[in-house]
């Protein structure tokens, strides 16, 4: 290549003709910094390879005691606990769905046409959307004592902000032409909502609520750990006494229940659409 | 019967309807033509007050429609049925309920909330549907029907209102030619048989010429022609649609833009 | 008018439809009511143990959670009762624990995402030609997704001991389960043309992935991993409750000592932390998508 050709290529694409090591060095620098930061985090948390390996071998030992799974001679109790977990999930979802209706409707842009109010309200919902049900459960169990009551409240409270947001979006995204048609026929405002809005948003809301029932069944299973009853309580007890064969049995039964609930709920949601 | 006096509608800086006045009597079939954005839809919507006029008055039998409130306004909307380009039915309700919407202004609130209408209303709705060959679909969801079928349901709903005036906003712009003919003929029948005045926004000159007894042409919000369809000569059309590149508008013209 | 055949036909059909609809509605309503009643009864929601006045209890409790802050001494030292510093009396410790929670989430998300990436190549239809491998990997990911984090954490705390290690492994595992599925879906949507080009030049499994897939999917991967990071911060906060390290440990401590005001203080800290991470992650994601579009 003649020096002239090189100069022309450089002029045409200065970045591409830059010596390769330069951009590579920058990339390498960034990569090193990232690795250093991650290593720093690992050291800060005292995560050591040796501990991990030792834990893995212990894990293998524990896992070997899981077979064969055993019901521990009290299947009825496990089934009751599963039913209680589902009951918590169902009750929590129903309460959340009913309560979320109000902020959901108020939070819809099309209902409250005041942008600042709407923005503030949505942001508030956003802030509390992140709090896991377990954190609520901890406080409610402390307040109301052991038992599913705290769990139900915790599930409901954790769902309300998310459901309210979804409801608000369902209302905002609905088609307003049917409502205009009703208004043009001289329908009262309530009749416009009943015949124009409700048939549009009700199936969407029902479908979203069912989806939350599915996820609440998963969340409800862990609430027992902090004393809110249900299958989580049974599991925690088995783990504490190292009865991993019984734990395995409960987990398998639970996974089957989750699969059944998911299938049923998906069927219903498909019909709603 | 219907009289508009200097009606204007302003959206921010733009004047959508500019000082429009006309009167309309029994048995008239008025077509409003003009380019998209000429203010046709807005004008129609000021009549049943889906859109409030910024200035001017709309009179019905001498009464100022702009002063009506609450139940009176709803009664007025019931008396002037509107047909929309996108049908504006409730897609998840069945056809018969969509037609019965035409009487919700007359019935109690409870009846409309529980969709409990008397058998005589249902019979009336079926007869209106049957007149448009839609009775067999009465229990289907409106959303499952084709565009032409939905517009026929919308017409049945309008008939259910026993209107004294029919407003139609681009009723055939979303339909194929066969359905467009069915819908236009239904509107014509209303006008001929019941002597109900019909005001219809159209984007097609051909249709306007075929059905209308009188044509109103709008440009930039103002009425630029008001007369029989025979008066739509090339110079007049130039004024309405604006000559493109100095070339007169070709005949027959069908402006394809939908509103 | 009633004798019109169209009306008669309609009324007959309407009766049949109405009967069916009413039956369906009645069965549905009955089933729902039964489940609802049983659910409330099973979960002892209106039981006597809590005094039968849940709303009153909640209000009393809320009152105990809210600290007695006094405006005139709000910014004074922590010995002064009613000041902010008094309420947040252990702030440095909580901030440190909060930061640990973030660290747990970051490391777990990264480890889980890397593992998920490897698994996703093994279960994408367009990359892995052997159906049994795809099937096995997919089922494995499914089972992992079904297991609740905290149950896994309990088990892992038994194996790895109390501390952040068990938490990181738990979160990495659940991240692996959820991202593995999402990544596989992304892989299956890649543009096949670069892959065909590589096939034509005789590239193997690894080369196809390195040059045909990775450049296309990396921005999407990163975007999903960041969404997951947001969730993992919240999850990591909860994991501390079972002894897996981070801010959750402090929450548990506050409850154990019935310091409900402290609980609220830490809870607000967690909410703020999650919110800050959400905003940062959203900002990065929008930039990533922008970059992806510019390419």
């Amino acid at each position: 290549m003649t020096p002239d050709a090189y100069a022309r290529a450089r002029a045409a694409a200065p970045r591409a003709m830059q010596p390769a090591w330069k951009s590579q060095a920058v990339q390498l620098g960034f990569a090193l910094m990232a690795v250093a930061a991650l290593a720093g985090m690992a050291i800060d948390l005292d995560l050591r390879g040796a501990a991990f390996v030792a834990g893995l071998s212990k894990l293998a030992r524990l896992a070997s005691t899981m077979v064969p799974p055993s019901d521990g001679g009290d299947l009825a109790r496990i089934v009751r606990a599963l039913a209680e977990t589902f009951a918590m999930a169902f009750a929590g979802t129903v309460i959340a769905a009913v309560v979320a209706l109000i902020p959901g409707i108020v939070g819809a842009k099309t209902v409250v046409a005041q942008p600042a109010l709407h923005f503030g309200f949505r942001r508030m919902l956003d802030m509390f959307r992140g709090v896991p049900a377990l954190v609520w459960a901890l406080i409610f169990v402390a307040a109301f004592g052991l038992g599913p009551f705290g769990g139900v409240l915790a599930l409901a409270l954790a769902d309300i902000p998310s459901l309210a947001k979804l409801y608000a979006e369902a209302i905002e995204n609905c088609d307003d032409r049917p409502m205009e048609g009703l208004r043009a026929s001289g329908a009262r405002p309530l009749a416009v909502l009943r015949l124009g809005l409700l048939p549009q948003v009700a199936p969407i809301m029902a479908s979203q609520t069912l989806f939350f029932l599915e996820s609440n069944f998963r969340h409800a299973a862990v609430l027992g750990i902090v004393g809110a009853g249900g299958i989580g309580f049974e599991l925690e007890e088995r783990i504490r006494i190292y009865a991993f064969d019984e734990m395995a049995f409960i987990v398998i039964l639970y996974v089957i229940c989750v699969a059944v609930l998911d299938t049923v709920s998906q069927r219903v949601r498909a019909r709603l659409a | 019967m219907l009289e508009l006096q200097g009606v204007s509608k302003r959206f921010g800086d733009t004047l959508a309807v500019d000082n429009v006045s006309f009167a309309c009597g029994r048995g008239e079939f008025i077509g409003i033509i003009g380019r998209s954005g000429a203010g046709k839809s807005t004008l129609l919507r000021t009549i049943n007050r889906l859109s409030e006029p910024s200035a001017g008055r709309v009179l019905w039998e001498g009464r100022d429609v702009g002063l009506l409130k609450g139940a009176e306004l709803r009664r007025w909307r019931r008396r002037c049925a509107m047909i929309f380009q996108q049908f504006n039915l409730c897609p998840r309700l069945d056809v018969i309920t969509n037609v019965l919407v035409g009487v919700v202004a007359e019935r109690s609130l409870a009846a409309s909330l529980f969709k409990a209408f008397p058998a005589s209303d249902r019979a009336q709705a079926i007869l209106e549907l049957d007149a448009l060959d839609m009775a067999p679909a009465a229990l289907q969801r409106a959303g499952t029907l084709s565009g032409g079928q939905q517009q026929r349901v919308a017409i049945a709903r309008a008939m259910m209102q026993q209107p004294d005036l029919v407003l139609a906003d681009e009723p055939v712009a979303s339909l194929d030619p066969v359905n467009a003919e069915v819908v236009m003929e239904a509107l014509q029948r209303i006008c001929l048989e019941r002597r109900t005045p019909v005001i219809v926004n159209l984007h097609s000159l051909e249709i306007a010429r075929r059905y209308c007894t009188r044509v109103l042409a709008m440009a930039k919000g103002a009425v630029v022609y008001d007369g029989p369809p025979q008066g739509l000569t090339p110079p007049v059309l130039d004024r309405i649609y604006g000559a493109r590149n100095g070339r007169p508008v070709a005949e027959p013209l069908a402006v394809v833009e939908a509103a | 008018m009633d004798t019109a055949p169209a009306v008669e036909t309609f009324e007959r059909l309407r009766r049949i439809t109405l009967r069916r609809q009413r039956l369906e509605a009645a069965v549905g309503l009955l089933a729902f009511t039964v489940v609802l009643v049983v659910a409330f009864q099973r979960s002892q929601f209106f039981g006597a143990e809590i005094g039968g006045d849940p709303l009153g209890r909640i209000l009393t409790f809320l009152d105990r959670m809210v600290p007695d802050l006094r405006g005139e001494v709000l910014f004074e030292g922590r010995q002064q009762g009613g000041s902010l510093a008094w309420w947040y009396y252990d702030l440095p410790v909580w901030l440190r624990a909060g930061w640990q929670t973030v660290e747990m989430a970051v490391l777990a998300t990264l480890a889980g995402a890397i593992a998920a990436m490897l698994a996703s190549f093994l279960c994408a239809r367009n990359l892995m030609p052997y159906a049994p491998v795809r099937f096995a990997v997919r089922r494995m990911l499914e089972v992992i997704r079904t297991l609740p984090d905290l149950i896994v954490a309990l088990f892992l705390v038994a194996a790895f001991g109390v501390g952040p290690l068990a938490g990181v492994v738990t979160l990495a595992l659940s991240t692996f389960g959820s991202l593995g599925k999402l990544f596989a879906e992304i892989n299956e949507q890649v543009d096949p043309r670069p892959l065909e080009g590589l096939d034509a030049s005789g590239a193997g499994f690894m080369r196809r992935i390195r040059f045909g897939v990775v450049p296309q999917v990396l921005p999407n991967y990163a975007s999903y991993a960041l969404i997951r990071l947001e969730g993992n911060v919240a999850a990591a906060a909860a994991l501390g409750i079972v002894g897996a390290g981070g801010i959750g440990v402090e929450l548990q401590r506050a409850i154990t000592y019935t310091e409900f005001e402290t609980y609220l203080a830490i809870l607000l800290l967690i909410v703020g932390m999650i919110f800050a991470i959400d905003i940062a992650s959203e900002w990065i994601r929008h930039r990533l998508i922008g970059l992806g579009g510019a390419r």
Side-chain angles (χ1 to χ4, degrees), chain A residues 38 44 47 52 55 58-59 80 87 94-95 127 130-132 135 138-139 143-144 148-149 222 225-226 235 244 251, chain C residues 36 39 42-43 45 50 54 57-58 61 96 103 110 147-148 151 155 158-160 165 234 241-242 252 263 267 271:
Chain A
L38 291 171
D44 188 42
L47 304 181
F52 184 67
K58 193 168 177 199
L59 196 63
R80 258 205 312 278
V94 170
I95 294 175
M127 286 193 83
V131 180
V135 172
L138 198 59
I139 191 83
F144 301 112
F149 180 80
V222 305
I225 294 169
V226 295
L235 274 171
F244 292 113
V251 166
Chain C
L36 188 72
R42 283 257 93 191
S43 59
F45 195 76
I50 49 143
R57 289 288 296 257
I58 292 173
F61 194 76
R96 165 108 191 83
E103 285 178 334
L110 190 71
L147 297 173
I151 304 292
F155 184 58
F160 291 99
L165 182 58
I241 296 172
V242 297
Q252 175 72 320
Y263 190 90
L267 185 63
V271 168

Side-chain angles (χ1 to χ4, degrees), chain C residues 58-74:
Chain C
I58 292 173
L59 290 179
T60 328
F61 194 76
L62 278 180
D63 187 46
R64 284 180 65 191
M65 268 177 86
V66 177
D68 303 314
L69 293 181
R70 279 180 298 152
E72 66 274 17
V73 293
L74 204 57

Side-chain angles (χ1 to χ4, degrees), chain B residues 138-165:
Chain B
L139 289 166
Q140 273 186 46
R141 275 190 188 174
T144 61
L145 302 177
S146 73
Q149 291 174 314
Q150 290 198 40
Q151 195 61 298
R152 281 189 252 169
V153 174
I155 291 176
R157 172 174 72 184
M159 289 305 92
M160 213 42 203
Q161 294 178 220
Q162 307 281 0
D164 298 328
L165 170 67

Side-chain angles (χ1 to χ4, degrees), chain C residues 194-261:
Chain C
L195 283 177
E196 280 161 13
L198 284 162
D199 280 343
S201 58
F205 181 71
M206 293 310 286
R207 288 236 169 108
R208 276 167 59 103
I209 287 171
R210 170 65 188 87
F211 296 104
V213 181
V214 170
Q216 286 190 57
V217 296
L218 219 49
N220 285 336
Y221 277 11
S223 177
Y224 275 111
L226 279 168
I227 293 177
R228 184 65 211 191
L229 175 67
E230 295 170 27
N232 274 350
V233 174
L239 283 183
I241 296 172
V242 297
I247 190 96
V249 178
E250 296 297 319
L251 271 181
Q252 175 72 320
R253 198 191 54 76
I255 284 292
T256 316
Y257 293 103
T258 63
E259 294 177 17
F260 295 134
E261 295 170 358

Side-chain angles (χ1 to χ4, degrees), chain A residues 177 180 184-185 194 199 272, chain B residues 45 77 88 92 113 161:
Chain A
R177 285 176 309 202
E180 190 176 55
S185 301
R194 166 66 184 87
L272 282 174
Chain B
R45 294 161 67 91
R77 283 180 175 162
N88 292 22
R92 296 189 69 98
L113 294 190
Q161 294 178 220

Side-chain angles (χ1 to χ4, degrees), chain B residues 58-96:
Chain B
V58 177
L59 299 177
W60 176 255
E61 284 166 353
R63 283 190 70 187
D64 189 345
V65 168
L67 301 176
L68 301 178
K69 275 200 206 90
E72 294 235 279
L73 175 60
R74 291 199 293 273
R75 202 162 306 130
W76 163 239
R77 283 180 175 162
R78 201 272 298 157
R79 290 170 72 186
C80 59
M82 191 170 222
I83 289 159
F84 299 84
Q85 180 182 352
Q86 294 297 332
F87 332 125
N88 292 22
L89 301 177
C90 307
R92 296 189 69 98
L93 297 181
D94 52 16
V95 165
I96 182 92

Side-chain angles (χ1 to χ4, degrees), chain C residues 68-70 72-87:
Chain C
D68 303 314
L69 293 181
R70 279 180 298 152
E72 66 274 17
V73 293
L74 204 57
F75 300 106
E76 294 194 9
R78 73 181 213 212
Q79 266 71 39
Q80 177 64 53
S83 71
L84 272 179
W86 163 80
W87 187 25

